[in-house]
Amino acid sequence: MDLTTVGTTYVNPNRVVMPIVTAPSDHLPQLQLADLVTAATTAAVAGREAGMELVELLKPLARRNTHGYIGGAGLVLWPRSLTDLFYWIFGETHYVRNSVRYPIGPGFGFSQPGSLFSTSSGLPK
């Protein structure tokens, strides 16, 4: 809130373009919700049980590419060797890059070189 009324040493208050993004999250309910979605998504990617239980609620919130996949659009993982995680998290069977669909996950008989999670989520059973 101070940014839009006082500004900073280097920026006048009328030049703050996105005050909602620069405010502390405890001042804005919208950022608290974004923090919650980010935490739940991070927990799902990490394979935490609590995060995985929320995946079906997170899916409708995520942006999708023109092929309907979340991977690479609503959630981006880097390096690319992690793309098979989209199979284990969201149940997606393909990853699209440059309008080319690449199969991901087990059961395709071929995995991209360096794919770390093509046959397993990496979590203990």
Side-chain angles (χ1 to χ4, degrees):
M1 299 293 186
D2 288 343
L3 288 174
T4 56
T5 56
V6 179
T8 70
T9 305
Y10 304 102
V11 179
N12 294 329
N14 62 340
R15 303 291 287 172
V16 176
V17 178
M18 298 176 64
I20 192 168
V21 174
T22 57
S25 64
D26 60 334
H27 289 230
L28 297 160
Q30 299 91 335
L31 285 184
Q32 291 174 2
L33 178 60
D35 291 343
L36 180 63
V37 170
T38 300
T41 304
T42 302
V45 170
R48 301 285 304 216
E49 185 178 337
M52 294 304 291
E53 290 174 2
L54 297 172
V55 166
E56 292 305 315
L57 296 172
L58 293 170
K59 280 182 175 182
L61 300 175
R63 182 177 181 270
R64 294 173 183 267
N65 61 24
T66 56
H67 299 273
Y69 296 115
I70 294 170
L75 178 63
V76 176
L77 299 175
W78 188 259
R80 287 199 176 120
S81 58
L82 301 176
T83 55
D84 284 301
L85 285 176
F86 294 119
Y87 171 84
W88 301 105
I89 299 167
F90 299 115
E92 297 185 344
T93 58
H94 290 80
Y95 180 78
V96 178
R97 184 173 62 237
N98 298 328
S99 296
V100 177
R101 289 171 33 132
Y102 297 93
I104 58 175
F108 290 105
F110 174 78
S111 65
Q112 296 295 322
S115 295
L116 301 175
F117 301 99
S118 60
T119 58
S120 166
S121 66
L123 297 173
K125 295 187 182 204

